[in-house]
Amino acid sequence: MTATGRKASRDWTTTPPTMMTEARKARLRFVLDTSPLRISPAFRRIFIARTISIFGLGMLAVAIPVQVFELTDSTLHVGMAASIEGICAFAGLLFGGVAADRFDRRTIIIASRVLGGLGFAVLALNAWVPEPSLATIYLVGAIDGFFGGFSVTALMAVTPSLIPRDKLPAAGALNLLSVRLGTMISPAIGGLVIAAGGVGWNYAGAAGTTFLTILLLLGLPPMRPEKSGEPQHPLRSAIEGASFVYRNRIVRSVVLIGTLETAASGVRVLLPALAVAAFGVGPEGTGLLYSAVPVGAVAATLLSGWVGDLKHPGRAMLLLATGSFAALAILGLCRDLVHALIALAIFGALSSLSSILQYSLVQQHTPDRLLGRVNALWMAQEVGAESGGALALGGLGKLVAASSALTVFGAAAAAAGLAGLLGFRSLTAAAPATAEQDSTARQTQNQESNNHA
């Protein structure tokens, strides 16, 4: 073909079909990227198993509070049950992070799920006896919390080894979508099951879904972490992971912004007061306020295909986080329900996109030998930050009106985000990983591991 012919073939005025093809490709870039499910059978197995597990655990999250309250007629006991499980999950994350960087991650995931499934079966049997034991609920909840946290670090650590590095944002979006949909739908399913047959069937459902996930996970290959030197004492190993987070400027910056964004999710504690004092609505309006955040998050995740094409993902993450904080400040200024729902949906959407980028940045910039410990610390800070944010916003809501508390917190957090844009230069300059960089990056990480050893 001549040069003139090639030029004409690129001219949209002479070849509308080509224009339409390019336009269609542009539109598809905004749609959730599902390619990790196609290119990696192992990731597909894990994703399906994780999605099934989320729905089972969502049913469980309804059953335990309902049964504990029925047995004790005490909200204190309900809170204690949740606190014990949360504390044990925190401990499981820290111990699991060390184990995931030392032992076969596939074995950790499967063994933990077997123990969890057996615990759910025990809860079902306990619910079906004439006099259910409260102590059994506490004990099994503690065990499940620990091994749930223990296994999730290994589950997160294996993902970067299963897909190309440039597909990590897509993997993060897929995982986030499954979590959001599961937390939206499964509690309603759990409530229907309890109404129809009692809490025992919820526990049985959680046990059944857990053993189904085990069957899927058995098809995974061994997933041993990269080794570097002689095994360390668990405490020294944990300190090494924390030291890496502190020393790596990109990971450290992501963790700081992620902690602030997770704390902002504590906004939920102010919604009941906001509904009554600012909007004058009842339980129905309060329910809408609670649903607005996940609705915005799901919508944004479904349209997140473009995040993998960003040239400066760190800068984009900071802008999205800052925008989500600004949405909270605007929420405090809203004086009607409709505008409040829009502000909350925007908050959910922006924080969801920011979370996808946070996930991919942490995975891309962490050596394989440290992924278990770094992911454990990453998730542990989320657990602590969410509780701390809820406590701080609740306390602020005691001092000033709920709307004022939102405006103050949102404005302060947005200012911190803007400061990050100016101060976190390594993060704002970070370039995305590409598939071609996989081999070189892993060789570099191995060399760094040997040097540290």
Side-chain angles (χ1 to χ4, degrees):
M1 183 183 292
T2 65
T4 303
R6 286 195 296 270
K7 182 179 184 297
S9 69
R10 293 193 297 268
D11 189 345
W12 66 269
T13 62
T14 60
T15 55
T18 303
M19 181 197 70
M20 292 303 294
T21 301
E22 293 301 320
R24 185 172 182 271
K25 288 181 180 179
R27 288 196 301 270
L28 289 176
R29 288 192 187 100
F30 285 90
V31 179
L32 177 69
D33 183 1
T34 60
S35 59
L37 298 175
R38 297 194 303 271
I39 62 180
S40 175
F43 177 78
R44 185 166 61 245
R45 279 182 176 271
I46 289 176
F47 176 80
I48 295 172
R50 191 167 183 263
T51 301
I52 294 172
S53 178
I54 288 169
F55 276 83
L57 294 175
M59 296 172 61
L60 193 74
V62 177
I64 289 180
V66 168
Q67 187 182 24
V68 169
F69 189 75
E70 287 179 349
L71 292 175
T72 64
D73 196 31
S74 168
T75 56
L76 176 60
H77 276 284
V78 175
M80 287 176 59
S83 297
I84 289 173
E85 185 173 357
I87 291 170
C88 291
F90 187 87
L93 285 170
L94 299 181
F95 282 98
V98 174
D101 287 338
R102 181 175 295 188
F103 305 109
D104 182 9
R105 291 160 178 170
R106 172 184 179 271
T107 302
I108 292 173
I109 295 167
I110 293 175
S112 298
R113 287 299 82 208
V114 168
L115 291 171
L118 291 173
F120 302 152
V122 170
L123 287 176
L125 294 175
N126 181 62
W128 286 329
V129 299
E131 295 184 5
S133 167
L134 181 64
T136 298
I137 299 173
Y138 277 126
L139 178 61
V140 175
I143 293 173
D144 177 64
F146 180 85
F147 284 103
F150 195 84
S151 66
V152 75
T153 53
L155 198 62
M156 290 186 66
V158 300
T159 301
S161 65
L162 301 178
I163 58 174
R165 292 164 67 86
D166 63 325
K167 293 297 182 182
L168 283 172
L174 287 165
N175 288 334
L176 182 61
L177 180 63
S178 66
V179 170
R180 292 294 189 180
L181 289 176
T183 53
M184 284 174 60
I185 299 172
S186 57
I189 296 174
L192 293 174
V193 171
I194 292 174
V199 294
W201 289 107
N202 268 42
Y203 296 135
T209 55
T210 299
F211 287 114
L212 179 59
T213 64
I214 292 171
L215 294 177
L216 287 167
L217 296 172
L218 286 172
L220 294 174
M223 296 176 175
R224 297 180 179 87
E226 295 176 358
K227 299 294 184 182
S228 59
E230 294 297 321
Q232 295 177 317
H233 186 279
L235 181 58
R236 285 192 63 187
S237 183
I239 292 173
E240 183 186 17
S243 176
F244 170 81
V245 173
Y246 176 77
R247 287 184 291 104
N248 188 289
R249 293 181 179 180
I250 294 176
V251 175
R252 182 180 67 217
S253 301
V254 172
V255 169
L256 288 173
I257 293 297
T259 299
L260 184 58
E261 196 157 37
T262 303
S265 65
V267 63
R268 67 184 186 280
V269 302
L270 296 177
L271 296 184
L274 193 69
V276 174
F279 311 133
V281 297
E284 297 84 357
T286 304
L288 289 175
L289 290 172
Y290 274 103
S291 66
V293 173
V295 167
V298 169
T301 305
L302 289 172
L303 298 173
S304 64
W306 54 275
V307 298
D309 298 329
L310 292 169
K311 294 182 178 180
H312 298 286
R315 185 182 303 167
M317 185 273 289
L318 285 166
L319 287 170
L320 289 166
T322 302
S324 71
F325 301 144
L328 288 184
I330 293 172
L331 172 63
L333 301 175
C334 293
R335 291 297 175 262
D336 63 84
L337 183 62
V338 173
H339 287 96
L341 293 174
I342 294 172
L344 282 169
I346 292 173
F347 168 74
L350 296 180
S351 60
S352 176
L353 294 171
S354 175
S355 296
I356 293 170
L357 290 172
Q358 290 168 27
Y359 167 82
S360 64
L361 285 163
V362 169
Q363 309 309 310
Q364 288 172 351
H365 293 277
T366 301
D368 181 83
R369 70 183 186 88
L370 291 168
L371 275 171
R373 283 164 285 177
V374 171
N375 278 314
L377 292 169
W378 170 249
M379 299 188 69
Q381 64 84 18
E382 285 192 347
V383 173
E386 185 173 5
S387 300
L391 182 62
L393 280 166
L396 189 59
K398 281 285 188 180
L399 300 175
V400 297
S403 56
S404 298
L406 284 168
T407 300
V408 170
F409 179 87
L418 291 174
L421 281 167
L422 298 175
F424 297 155
R425 295 183 179 180
S426 297
L427 179 59
T428 56
T434 63
E436 290 77 10
Q437 292 173 324
D438 266 351
S439 177
T440 303
R442 293 189 186 285
Q443 290 175 4
T444 301
Q445 289 176 357
N446 289 336
Q447 184 62 45
E448 289 177 353
S449 298
N450 293 332
N451 292 340
H452 286 307

